[in-house]
Amino acid sequence: MGAYANGAAALPGFAPDGSLLTPTPIVELDGMACDNELYVKRDDLIPFSFGGNKARIAQCFFSDALARGCNAIVAYGSTRSNLARVMANGAARMGMPCAVVSPDEADGSRPRSFNAELCARLGAQVHPCQKGEVAQAVEAALDELREQGFRPYYIYGNRFGKGNEATPVQAYVHASREVADWERASGASFDYVFLATGTGMTQAGLLCGNVLTGSSCEVVGISVARSAEAATEHIEGYCRAYLASRGVDVPADLHSRICVSDGFLHGGYGRADAAEQQTIRHAFAHAGMPLDETYVGKGFDGMLRYLRERDICGKRILFLHTGGTPLFFDALDGSEGVVRA
Ligand SMILES: *Cc1c(COP(=O)(O)O)cnc(C)c1O
């Protein structure tokens, strides 16, 4: 098991507990959010596999897998999945086989993506399946690895994707501590944290971090796919699982602390409207900051619209850049030309 012979289960830049050795930078962006002070926490700059929230989450999964004595990975994600790419990369580093159960899009398509390309080149065994066949595909991937003599680890728990909710939440509890440290050092605190929200693992981590530190900062998730109601339910499930695993009481107002907007879906996962694409071009030309159309572009543009729609001004705001850089390059194939301002 090469690099992990001593049980030091850390990807480059990480401690085995999932914290980063060096916190990611928090940089101010001028002139982008009307009369608010806007900062961005650049988790896209985490130094493993193009970074992103999935690098932090992957570290938590690998540590858990090793603690359970597993030596093969079964990941999950569509062709655009950043998590699948980072898990495939981590497994390649550790010399573990990696299978990726990969559902089609809701419309049955399998869009090309650099993430899927990287998964394949990293040697991951991709198991394409329809949305309704995930449990069977997970079971088949686990069986195949067991037959080869491995002890496989499925990142989401059982074949129905339940049972491992607490593990990934830890990733953004750590990140939330980095934000609290920054606030203490700079003597300024954030009124809001915005992020693109999908499965809810990341938002749940930030919320649990707030519970543990007593921070009253409002966390706003811009949904990239789900209705606000469905996203809220998933986030609450992740929070409850994490707090229970730590023996921390669930705050009575947990449900009302979960804020998700589904007002910027633009038709669903992977869809962007012209205004989002314009924001993406502007963010790159003005700030040199890559945003992808599926996640971070939706989150960033959704945040700007959310602030405008609600006349929010004079606040200190943190946008969490959750990565997805390979998807930024996917969009350059389009006729629009992402880098033109
Ligand atoms: C997965 C992902 C998200 C959403 O994170 P969740 O924890 O699934 O809510 C946001 N941004 C990027 C780039 C992602 O890959």
Side-chain angles (χ1 to χ4, degrees):
M1 209 110 306
Y4 295 94
N6 302 323
L11 301 173
F14 284 93
D17 71 352
S19 62
L20 277 175
L21 302 176
T22 308
T24 52
I26 292 178
V27 293
E28 187 167 6
L29 285 193
D30 58 309
M32 289 202 71
C34 307
D35 294 323
N36 295 289
E37 245 180 68
L38 176 63
Y39 294 80
V40 180
K41 183 165 176 62
R42 295 291 303 271
D43 272 11
D44 58 317
L45 301 179
I46 288 171
F48 182 71
S49 197
F50 304 103
N53 60 340
K54 300 312 173 352
R56 289 189 193 260
I57 288 168
Q59 176 63 65
C60 292
F61 284 139
F62 279 113
S63 295
D64 188 48
L66 291 170
R68 291 171 193 259
C70 296
N71 56 10
I73 298 293
V74 177
Y76 174 85
S78 69
T79 58
R80 278 184 279 232
S81 170
N82 293 303
L83 179 59
R85 179 245 314 154
V86 181
M87 292 304 296
N89 209 159
R93 166 182 163 84
M94 298 174 62
M96 285 189 187
C98 179
V100 176
V101 173
S102 179
D104 300 343
E105 298 302 317
D107 65 3
S109 68
R110 298 191 62 78
R112 287 180 53 127
S113 144
F114 284 124
N115 277 333
E117 184 66 33
L118 288 168
C119 276
R121 291 187 189 213
L122 287 161
Q125 188 73 42
V126 178
H127 297 253
C129 68
Q130 289 169 13
K131 275 266 185 222
E133 300 174 335
V134 171
Q136 297 99 298
V138 168
E139 200 56 54
L142 289 166
D143 282 344
E144 199 175 304
L145 287 162
R146 285 189 197 112
E147 276 160 25
Q148 294 163 21
F150 291 101
R151 274 190 64 133
Y153 175 89
Y154 179 46
I155 58 169
Y156 288 146
N158 69 19
R159 66 201 175 103
F160 301 109
K162 299 270 178 258
N164 200 23
E165 287 81 4
T167 300
V169 174
Q170 180 64 47
Y172 275 83
V173 172
H174 286 303
S176 143
R177 191 146 300 137
E178 290 174 26
V179 174
D181 289 345
W182 185 93
E183 291 179 316
R184 206 170 308 112
S186 65
S189 55
F190 293 111
D191 301 301
Y192 292 91
V193 177
F194 283 85
L195 74 157
T197 208
T199 64
M201 299 183 284
T202 305
Q203 190 165 346
L206 295 173
L207 286 165
C208 289
N210 281 357
V211 170
L212 297 176
T213 60
S215 162
S216 61
C217 172
E218 174 141 32
V219 179
V220 184
I222 305 294
S223 179
V224 301
R226 287 180 175 146
S227 70
E229 193 185 1
T232 301
E233 189 185 315
H234 280 86
I235 292 166
E236 186 165 348
Y238 275 116
C239 288
R240 287 183 180 278
Y242 179 79
L243 295 171
S245 77
R246 299 280 136 162
V248 176
D249 289 340
V250 175
D253 65 345
L254 175 66
H255 188 81
S256 66
R257 287 197 204 186
I258 302 171
C259 177
V260 177
S261 170
D262 58 8
F264 312 100
L265 293 175
H266 313 320
Y269 180 76
R271 305 279 186 82
D273 70 357
E276 179 191 331
Q277 289 169 335
Q278 172 58 30
T279 295
I280 290 173
R281 286 192 291 274
H282 182 65
F284 195 75
H286 178 73
M289 181 170 73
L291 306 176
D292 75 278
E293 292 187 354
T294 303
Y295 297 103
V296 188
K298 226 172 200 175
F300 191 80
D301 181 60
M303 169 188 71
L304 297 180
R305 293 195 219 188
Y306 184 101
L307 295 172
R308 272 199 304 274
E309 285 171 8
R310 285 169 178 72
D311 273 328
I312 295 172
C313 49
K315 300 293 185 191
R316 187 172 292 112
I317 292 166
L318 182 66
F319 180 76
L320 176 66
H321 192 315
T322 42
T325 299
L327 302 173
F328 170 82
F329 291 105
D330 284 341
L332 292 181
D333 273 348
S335 55
E336 277 279 349
V338 161
V339 298
R340 264 186 285 120

Coordinates of all heavy atoms in Angstrom, one line a residue, residues 3 16 24 38 70 130 132 136 139 147 155 176 213 241 278 289 312 322:
A3 N 2.5 4.4 -0.1 CA 2.6 5.6 0.7 C 2.0 5.5 2.0 O 2.2 6.3 2.9 CB 2.0 6.8 -0.1
P16 N -4.3 13.4 8.4 CA -5.2 12.2 8.3 C -6.6 12.5 8.8 O -7.5 11.9 8.4 CB -4.5 11.2 9.1 CG -3.0 11.5 9.1 CD -3.0 13.0 9.1
T24 N -6.9 27.2 3.2 CA -7.0 27.9 1.9 C -7.2 29.4 2.0 O -7.7 29.8 3.0 CB -8.2 27.3 1.1 OG1 -9.4 27.4 1.9 CG2 -8.0 25.8 0.7
L38 N -17.1 41.6 -0.3 CA -17.2 40.2 -0.7 C -15.8 39.5 -0.6 O -14.8 40.1 -1.2 CB -17.7 40.1 -2.1 CG -17.7 38.7 -2.8 CD1 -18.7 37.8 -2.0 CD2 -18.1 38.8 -4.3
C70 N -10.3 -1.3 4.8 CA -10.7 -1.6 3.4 C -9.5 -1.3 2.5 O -8.6 -0.5 2.9 CB -11.9 -0.7 3.0 SG -13.4 -1.1 4.0
Q130 N -28.4 3.3 -15.2 CA -29.6 4.2 -15.2 C -29.8 4.7 -13.7 O -29.5 4.0 -12.8 CB -30.8 3.6 -15.8 CG -30.6 3.4 -17.3 CD -31.7 2.5 -17.9 OE1 -32.7 2.2 -17.3 NE2 -31.5 2.1 -19.1
G132 N -32.4 4.6 -11.9 CA -33.2 3.7 -11.1 C -32.4 2.4 -10.7 O -32.9 1.5 -10.0
Q136 N -28.3 -1.8 -7.5 CA -27.8 -3.0 -8.2 C -26.4 -2.8 -8.7 O -25.5 -3.7 -8.6 CB -28.7 -3.5 -9.4 CG -30.1 -3.9 -9.0 CD -31.1 -2.7 -9.3 OE1 -30.9 -1.6 -8.7 NE2 -32.0 -2.9 -10.2
E139 N -24.0 -2.9 -5.8 CA -23.8 -4.2 -5.3 C -22.9 -5.0 -6.3 O -21.9 -5.7 -5.9 CB -25.2 -4.9 -5.2 CG -25.2 -6.1 -4.4 CD -24.7 -5.9 -2.9 OE1 -25.3 -5.0 -2.3 OE2 -23.8 -6.6 -2.5
E147 N -14.8 -10.5 -5.2 CA -14.4 -11.8 -5.9 C -12.9 -11.7 -6.3 O -12.2 -12.7 -6.4 CB -15.2 -11.9 -7.2 CG -16.5 -12.6 -7.0 CD -17.5 -12.4 -8.1 OE1 -17.1 -12.1 -9.2 OE2 -18.7 -12.5 -7.8
I155 N -18.5 4.6 -0.6 CA -18.4 5.9 0.1 C -19.7 6.3 0.8 O -19.7 6.9 1.9 CB -18.0 7.0 -0.8 CG1 -18.9 7.1 -2.0 CG2 -16.5 6.8 -1.3 CD1 -18.7 8.4 -2.8
S176 N -14.9 25.2 8.4 CA -15.6 26.2 9.2 C -14.6 26.7 10.3 O -14.7 27.9 10.7 CB -16.9 25.6 9.7 OG -17.2 26.0 11.0
T213 N -19.0 26.0 17.1 CA -18.4 27.3 17.5 C -19.3 28.3 18.1 O -18.9 29.4 18.6 CB -17.6 27.9 16.3 OG1 -18.5 28.2 15.3 CG2 -16.5 27.0 15.8
A241 N -26.9 13.2 11.6 CA -25.9 12.1 11.6 C -24.6 12.5 12.2 O -24.0 11.8 13.1 CB -25.8 11.5 10.3
Q278 N -22.5 35.0 -18.4 CA -21.9 36.4 -18.4 C -21.1 36.6 -17.0 O -20.0 37.1 -17.0 CB -23.0 37.4 -18.6 CG -22.5 38.9 -18.4 CD -21.4 39.2 -19.3 OE1 -21.3 38.7 -20.4 NE2 -20.5 40.1 -18.9
M289 N -10.7 34.2 -11.7 CA -11.2 33.2 -10.9 C -12.1 32.3 -11.8 O -13.1 32.7 -12.3 CB -12.0 33.8 -9.7 CG -12.6 32.7 -8.8 SD -13.3 33.5 -7.3 CE -14.8 34.2 -8.0
I312 N -29.8 43.3 -0.2 CA -28.8 43.1 0.9 C -27.6 43.9 0.6 O -27.0 43.8 -0.5 CB -28.5 41.6 1.1 CG1 -29.7 40.8 1.5 CG2 -27.3 41.4 2.1 CD1 -29.5 39.3 1.5
T322 N -16.0 26.1 -4.3 CA -15.9 24.7 -4.0 C -15.2 23.9 -5.1 O -15.3 22.6 -5.1 CB -17.4 24.1 -3.8 OG1 -18.2 24.7 -4.7 CG2 -17.9 24.4 -2.4

